[in-house]
Amino acid sequence: MTFPRLLAAAAMTAAAALTLSACSGNSADAAADGDGDALTVAVVTPYLANAATKEVIDLLENQADERGWNLSVEDTAGDMNKLNSAFQNAAAQQPDAIVLGMGDPTQISLGLNAAADAGVPVFAIDAGEADGIAANVTSDNTDLGTQSAQALVDAMGGSGSIVMLTHDPHPGVRARAEGARAVFEENGIEIIEEKHVNVPGPVDDARTSVQDIISAQGDAVTGIWGGWDEPALGATQALEAAGVTDVVVVGVDGQDFAIEEIEKGGPFVATVKQDWDAVAAMVADLIADAADGTMPSQSQYELPGTLILAP
């Protein structure tokens, strides 16, 4: 393990300990509600094809298994209309909780209303604050954007022009982009283009977009900011295929494939690791507390991310 990854691991461990201590300690071991029945949790997501989304939902499934809960997962593959229907269907089953696995809650008002009418609390992972969401557990996405953007500026030597790969339907990515723009503006970095990345298929879509941008104005590009690791990987692949060696790339999430790319010493030079273990554990604790009659004391919980740089 490289020195930066050792630092990242230590920082995440400390962050997780602090975060989990903020939740009720009694709820962490709860396997059932007050009546002694196993809790039923329905997870609904539009982004299961995304590596980070799948990772954190898998971790939440592990939490459910450890606590003896029944947990189901439904993916709508980026379709927000289906997400509304999925929420309505889940609410009709009257689980103990519904979890929104990323996505914009403002686009699923019908689903949230159905959950409220059924008396089912809704929790969110890396989504946003909204009426009908008991609590959203996420990273400090503005800071993720700030850290990744500053890493890109530093890798470019403090000047240059960049392309941003974004996805505004995701509140977290949108907040990261806002934080990144502020850093670029402060440092006098020109944003040549902001390109929306489609999901599912973010790696392929980003690779195609970057190929087109490099063909049209490659001489002007010195850096590429990815709102998450998959488009950053697609950008890296496009640069390598084109033989471009003087453009650097950063991402966000800290996925294993991103860390491997960074350690190779190629265009991909930095990412910001999200603490998905702590996020999943906190969501599970909040669900257990709610089943015991204690609702969250705040609507948003934000955890820190850890910058990972090339060795």
Side-chain angles (χ1 to χ4, degrees), residues 1-6 8-9 12 55 229-230 232-233 236 251-266 268-274 276 306-311:
M1 180 178 289
T2 63
F3 182 66
R5 291 183 66 185
L6 287 171
M12 286 188 295
E55 179 181 352
D229 283 338
E230 282 160 307
L233 177 62
T236 298
V252 172
D253 277 341
Q255 297 301 127
D256 287 345
F257 65 80
I259 295 171
E260 289 173 5
E261 286 293 329
I262 291 168
E263 291 181 341
K264 282 161 54 172
F268 205 145
V269 297
T271 186
V272 186
K273 177 88 173 165
Q274 299 200 64
W276 294 125
T306 303
L307 181 65
I308 297 176
L309 299 169

Side-chain angles (χ1 to χ4, degrees), residues 186-227:
E186 180 181 348
N187 287 273
I189 304 298
E190 179 188 5
I191 301 173
I192 296 174
E193 186 171 352
E194 292 193 31
K195 192 70 176 178
H196 172 81
V197 176
N198 291 317
V199 178
V203 176
D204 292 341
D205 190 55
R207 182 173 58 246
T208 299
S209 294
V210 172
Q211 286 171 342
D212 293 342
I213 292 169
I214 292 298
S215 296
Q217 48 187 335
D219 291 343
V221 181
T222 51
I224 299 174
W225 180 87

Side-chain angles (χ1 to χ4, degrees), residues 242-298:
V244 176
T245 60
D246 57 352
V247 176
V248 289
V249 180
V250 302
V252 172
D253 277 341
Q255 297 301 127
D256 287 345
F257 65 80
I259 295 171
E260 289 173 5
E261 286 293 329
I262 291 168
E263 291 181 341
K264 282 161 54 172
F268 205 145
V269 297
T271 186
V272 186
K273 177 88 173 165
Q274 299 200 64
D275 193 348
W276 294 125
D277 282 298
V279 169
M282 176 172 274
V283 171
D285 281 350
L286 291 172
I287 291 171
D289 283 346
D292 285 338
T294 302
M295 294 303 291
S297 59
Q298 58 196 69

Side-chain angles (χ1 to χ4, degrees), residues 147-156 162 184 223-225 248-250:
Q147 288 195 62
S148 57
Q150 188 60 57
L152 184 60
V153 172
D154 293 344
M156 294 190 305
I162 62 101
F184 296 140
I224 299 174
W225 180 87
V248 289
V249 180
V250 302

Side-chain angles (χ1 to χ4, degrees), residues 3 19 34 44 47 58 67 69 72 87 90 136 187 191 218 230 236 239 270 282 290 309:
F3 182 66
T19 299
V44 186
Y47 294 132
D58 285 349
R67 298 165 191 249
W69 298 353
S72 63
F87 254 86
N136 177 45
N187 287 273
I191 301 173
E230 282 160 307
T236 298
L239 294 171
M282 176 172 274
L309 299 169

